[in-house]
């Protein structure tokens, strides 16, 4: 129905752009620490001959980190990506990608000179065709093995400094599941159970909104490359004041299974999905990385969660309070931060008082707990496709804050944030490289907008889209019904006029009551019995 044959064919041709390119997972690339693949367009490293980019040394910030992680040289994510590569492609102009073969976010065309703004819509304002396409694209990404990317299943030390590469093939969708696991996993200090849990390179600190913004942009980009549909955008789920999981229906993200409330309905395609990297305690106990193996079905049981941790889904008032906090981050810039927009948005600041280290989780974290399943584990949460809808809405709140206070990248924290979160730190585990502060800018500069942030008239038009589509589906039948009704009306009118004309020509003694009488074939013969029973006959008639 969606031209799957064409999609399957083109997916083998279309390159993708994420971290750990397959071409950089070889023994040679790891030992030379160089990830500068050739661009297919001219065969030169980073497309140098075409002026797209060049292979350069990676520059690392020397700004000091916060005290939360008291180690150095033990984790592969420290000073990303130096443990694996010290030379990567640096792209010029509007070019981007691990080999500079693609365009920066918001740019399109062979020469990346076509500026275009995409619109992320409320999932309930998608047309039926758009909803079907979303589900089809998600499932296609889940079932398609990534041609260009692999995921690491061992540390650089376990790879014997590159002489024994340890990578696994996963689907396009699961590349992103692994990325979210990898950025948030515990630090392995050596040996079973010897881990440091108080570290996260994408959460619990200032980089939380920028990191997830880049994550969504790359995911959106991958779907476009996989399907050839450059108009695709991630929809969002506006969960303010929701009483239940509104998107948990078989038409969208899958209803609850009637056989097992912890599983997805068999009527949903997501019931067949398998998860990976969802058992962090097992990996920690063994002192290993996730090996990207199948770990069973996707789980979800929304609303049956720990009420002591999360009372309810976030309200409109809590969102507005969060937006009213003018300071992006404060104090130690971690989960203890008070009156911090970032910490309150993430869910560790109380959404009514702004105080950090809240005993109850709110905002972003509240929804993860509420879903009560695969999404409730930080490291495995991206297994559930609701993760994308949820984080798109979280990103829209971040966008509102950026616009309200008109901030610039120079105002992003430069030093003393928890490791991985300073402004010039490269986001792990992305290749191409992105610095945190580069995404402390409006979404409009990155080529996308949210439908509920449009002006009033545009918002009204957006909310009417699905109903107009339904009307388009039924209007041919309405026209046909109208034509049939008109034809019947004309016929009756013509019959009436014809009858009236004939009546004027008949003798006056004929009455209208005889107009439709059948001609008599014999005279009526009345007997006394008939006359006596005439009333009964009338009654019967």
């Amino acid at each position: 129905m969606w031209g799957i044959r064409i999609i399957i064919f083109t997916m083998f041709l279309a390159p993708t752009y994420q971290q750990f390119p397959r071409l950089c997972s070889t023994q040679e690339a790891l030992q030379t620490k160089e990830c500068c693949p050739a661009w297919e367009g001219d065969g030169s490293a980073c497309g140098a001959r075409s002026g797209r980019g060049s292979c350069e040394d990676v520059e690392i910030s020397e700004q000091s980190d916060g005290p939360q992680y008291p180690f150095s040289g033990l984790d592969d994510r420290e000073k990303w990506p130096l443990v694996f590569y010290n030379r990567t492609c640096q792209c010029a102009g509007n070019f981007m990608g691990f080999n500079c073969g693609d365009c920066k976010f918001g740019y399109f065309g062979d020469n990346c000179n076509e500026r275009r703004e995409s619109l992320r819509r409320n999932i309930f304002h998608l047309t039926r065709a758009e909803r079907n396409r979303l589900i089809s694209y998600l499932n296609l990404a889940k079932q398609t093995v990534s041609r260009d990317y692999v995921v690491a299943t061992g540390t650089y030390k376990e790879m014997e400094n590159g002489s024994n590469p340890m990578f696994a093939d996963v689907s396009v969708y699961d590349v992103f599941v692994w990325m979210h696991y990898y950025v948030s996993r515990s630090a392995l200090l050596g040996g079973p159970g010897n881990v440091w849990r108080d570290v996260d390179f994408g959460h619990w600190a200032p980089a939380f909104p920028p990191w997830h913004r880049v994550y969504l942009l790359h995911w959106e980009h991958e779907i476009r490359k996989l399907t050839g549909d450059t108009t695709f955008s991630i929809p969002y789920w506006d969960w303010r004041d929701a009483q239940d999981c509104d998107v948990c229906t078989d038409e969208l993200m899958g209803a609850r299974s009637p056989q097992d409330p912890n599983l997805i309905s068999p009527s949903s395609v997501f019931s067949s999905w398998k998860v990976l990297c969802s058992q962090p305690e097992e990996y920690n106990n063994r002192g290993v990385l996730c090996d990207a193996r199948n770990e069973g079905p996707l789980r979800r049981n929304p609303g049956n969660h720990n009420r002591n941790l999360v009372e309810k889904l976030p309200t409109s008032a809590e969102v507005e309070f969060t937006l009213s906090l003018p300071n992006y981050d404060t104090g130690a810039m971690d989960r203890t931060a008070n009156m911090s927009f970032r910490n309150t948005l993430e869910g560790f600041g109380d959404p009514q008082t702004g105080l950090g280290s809240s005993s109850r989780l709110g905002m972003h974290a509240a929804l993860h707990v509420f879903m009560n399943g695969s999404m409730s584990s930080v490291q495995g949460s991206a297994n559930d496709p609701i993760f994308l809808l949820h984080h798109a809405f979280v990103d829209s709140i971040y966008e509102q804050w950026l616009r309200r206070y008109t901030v610039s990248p120079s105002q992003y924290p430069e030093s003393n944030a928890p490791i991985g979160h300073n402004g010039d730190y490269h986001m792990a585990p992305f290749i191409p490289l992105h610095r945190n502060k580069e995404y402390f800018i409006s979404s409009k500069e990155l080529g996308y907008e949210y439908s509920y942030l449009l002006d009033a008239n545009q918002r009204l038009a957006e909310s009417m889209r699905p109903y107009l589509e339904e009307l388009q589906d039924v209007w041919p039948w309405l026209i046909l019904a109208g034509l049939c009704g008109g034809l019947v009306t004309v016929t009756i009118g013509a019959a009436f006029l014809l009858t009236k004309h004939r009546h004027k020509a008949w003798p006056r003694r004929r009455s209208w009551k005889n107009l439709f009488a059948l001609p008599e074939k014999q005279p009526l013969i009345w007997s006394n019995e008939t006359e006596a029973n005439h009333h009964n006959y009338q009654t019967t008639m």
Side-chain angles (χ1 to χ4, degrees):
M1 187 169 101
W2 293 103
I4 294 297
R5 291 183 180 178
I6 295 176
I7 291 174
I8 291 175
F9 174 73
T10 55
M11 77 187 183
F12 290 106
L13 302 179
T16 54
Y17 302 94
Q18 225 57 39
Q19 46 49 250
F20 282 123
R22 189 179 296 274
L23 294 175
C24 297
S25 65
T26 64
Q27 186 181 78
E28 179 184 2
L30 291 171
Q31 290 183 327
T32 61
K33 292 182 176 290
E34 183 172 291
C35 182
C36 295
W39 175 53
E40 295 175 353
D42 64 9
S44 65
C46 310
R49 281 202 291 269
S50 301
R52 300 177 79 94
S54 57
C55 189
E56 303 290 345
D57 291 342
V58 174
E59 296 183 2
I60 297 297
S61 171
E62 297 299 332
Q63 292 285 353
S64 60
D65 298 319
Q68 295 85 353
Y69 179 75
F71 308 101
S72 178
L74 293 180
D75 192 284
D76 290 346
R77 298 166 295 181
E78 295 176 32
K79 300 184 183 299
W80 180 262
L82 286 189
V83 170
F84 290 98
Y85 313 108
N86 55 29
R87 285 174 63 80
T88 63
C89 287
Q90 293 186 22
C91 306
N94 296 330
F95 300 113
M96 190 184 74
F98 67 85
N99 62 355
C100 301
D102 199 36
C103 303
K104 283 184 176 179
F105 303 122
Y107 289 89
F108 298 83
D110 293 338
N111 296 315
C112 301
N113 54 6
E114 298 175 20
R115 179 74 172 167
R116 192 188 310 162
E117 186 175 279
S118 303
L119 186 65
R120 292 182 179 174
R121 294 185 166 95
N122 187 320
I123 192 167
F124 294 109
H125 294 167
L126 297 182
T127 65
R128 187 190 306 112
E130 288 168 340
R131 293 196 302 270
N132 292 339
R133 188 166 61 214
L134 169 67
I135 306 305
S136 297
Y137 287 178
L138 281 165
N139 200 45
L140 179 63
K142 183 69 173 181
Q143 307 303 329
T144 304
V145 174
S146 175
R147 188 195 77 169
D148 294 292
Y149 288 90
V150 290
V151 300
T153 57
T155 64
Y156 192 72
K157 182 179 180 180
E158 290 173 328
M159 296 183 195
E160 300 173 3
N161 298 328
S163 62
N164 180 33
M166 297 174 65
F167 297 94
D169 291 319
V170 295
S171 71
V172 173
Y173 185 94
D174 286 339
V175 166
F176 288 86
V177 174
W178 178 89
M179 287 175 61
H180 196 264
Y181 151 77
Y182 192 81
V183 75
S184 57
R185 65 173 176 82
S186 300
L188 306 179
L189 305 181
N194 189 17
V195 300
W196 186 261
R197 289 178 171 80
D198 191 19
V199 62
D200 193 313
F201 286 70
H203 302 81
W204 309 343
F208 167 72
W211 190 93
H212 287 82
R213 170 163 284 192
V214 172
Y215 179 95
L216 292 179
L217 283 166
H218 272 295
W219 191 91
E220 199 169 56
H221 179 77
E222 290 304 302
I223 295 298
R224 292 171 180 169
K225 301 297 287 188
L226 175 64
T227 63
D229 183 359
T230 59
T231 66
F232 173 79
S233 292
I234 299 173
Y236 62 86
W237 173 27
D238 183 348
W239 33 248
R240 290 175 296 182
D241 305 313
Q243 300 301 309
D244 203 351
C245 179
D246 301 334
V247 296
C248 294
T249 66
D250 286 336
E251 292 72 30
L252 294 173
M253 299 294 107
R256 184 183 278 110
S257 170
Q259 288 78 33
D260 186 339
N262 294 305
L263 299 178
I264 310 299
S265 164
S267 300
S268 168
V269 68
F270 300 116
S271 64
S272 65
W273 279 30
K274 307 300 180 184
V275 302
L276 69 155
C277 299
S278 64
Q279 300 172 358
E281 284 309 308
E282 179 185 336
Y283 317 138
N284 287 346
N285 292 336
R286 294 164 52 202
V288 298
L289 294 181
C290 159
D291 59 9
R293 292 182 184 177
N294 176 342
E295 294 175 347
L298 177 65
R299 294 184 172 274
R300 187 195 304 149
N301 191 353
N304 294 314
H305 59 284
N306 183 351
R307 299 278 174 170
N308 293 323
L309 196 59
V310 170
E311 182 179 0
K312 62 185 185 312
L313 289 174
T315 66
S316 297
E318 290 171 341
V319 171
E320 184 53 41
F321 174 82
T322 302
L323 286 167
S324 73
L325 299 171
N327 295 316
Y328 180 71
D329 226 332
T330 62
M333 296 179 280
D334 57 15
R335 287 172 287 182
T336 68
N338 295 320
M339 308 306 289
S340 156
F341 164 75
R342 187 277 314 162
N343 198 36
T344 307
L345 173 64
E346 193 168 356
F348 303 107
D350 189 300
Q352 297 178 5
T353 65
L355 298 180
S357 302
S358 175
S359 60
R360 290 196 173 200
L361 299 179
M363 296 296 287
H364 151 264
L367 192 124
H368 278 277
V369 174
F370 179 88
M371 298 313 295
N372 191 32
S374 301
M375 200 166 158
S376 301
S377 161
V378 175
Q379 296 175 25
S381 58
N383 278 292
D384 193 327
I386 291 179
F387 176 96
L388 299 165
L389 312 182
H390 169 45
H391 273 277
F393 190 63
V394 172
D395 182 73
S396 76
I397 298 173
Y398 172 47
E399 179 62 23
Q400 287 190 70
W401 188 89
L402 290 171
R403 296 185 191 182
R404 182 176 295 193
Y405 299 101
T406 59
V407 298
S408 67
S410 63
Q411 295 169 270
Y412 184 92
E414 285 291 337
S415 63
N416 299 317
I419 188 170
H421 292 261
N422 286 340
D424 283 322
Y425 215 103
H426 293 122
M427 298 178 181
F430 289 102
I431 293 179
L433 302 177
H434 304 283
R435 297 184 189 274
N436 292 318
K437 69 180 183 182
E438 293 171 349
Y439 294 85
F440 200 60
I441 58 175
S442 172
S443 67
K444 297 180 76 66
E445 295 184 56
L446 298 167
Y448 70 99
E449 172 66 296
Y450 286 97
S451 60
Y452 82 103
L453 300 183
L454 298 170
D455 63 45
N457 290 334
Q458 291 174 308
R459 290 199 306 272
L460 177 62
E462 278 298 310
S463 65
M464 293 297 294
R465 290 177 70 251
Y467 306 107
L468 293 175
E469 186 215 25
E470 296 292 340
L471 184 60
Q472 286 178 341
D473 287 343
V474 301
W475 75 264
W477 298 102
L478 294 176
I479 291 178
L480 180 61
L483 290 174
C484 291
L487 183 60
V488 169
T489 301
V490 170
T491 302
I492 292 174
F496 176 80
L497 292 175
L498 179 62
T499 303
K500 184 176 181 181
H501 175 73
R502 288 180 177 178
H503 174 67
K504 290 180 178 179
W506 292 342
R508 291 186 179 274
R509 67 176 179 270
R510 291 197 66 177
S511 63
W512 277 103
K513 71 177 181 179
N514 294 321
L515 178 62
F516 299 107
L518 294 173
E520 294 178 350
K521 294 186 178 180
Q522 62 181 25
L524 291 174
I525 300 176
W526 297 95
S527 65
N528 291 336
E529 182 180 358
T530 303
E531 290 179 355
N533 290 328
H534 181 62
H535 177 74
N536 291 338
Y537 174 77
Q538 287 282 57
T539 303
T540 302
M541 290 298 294

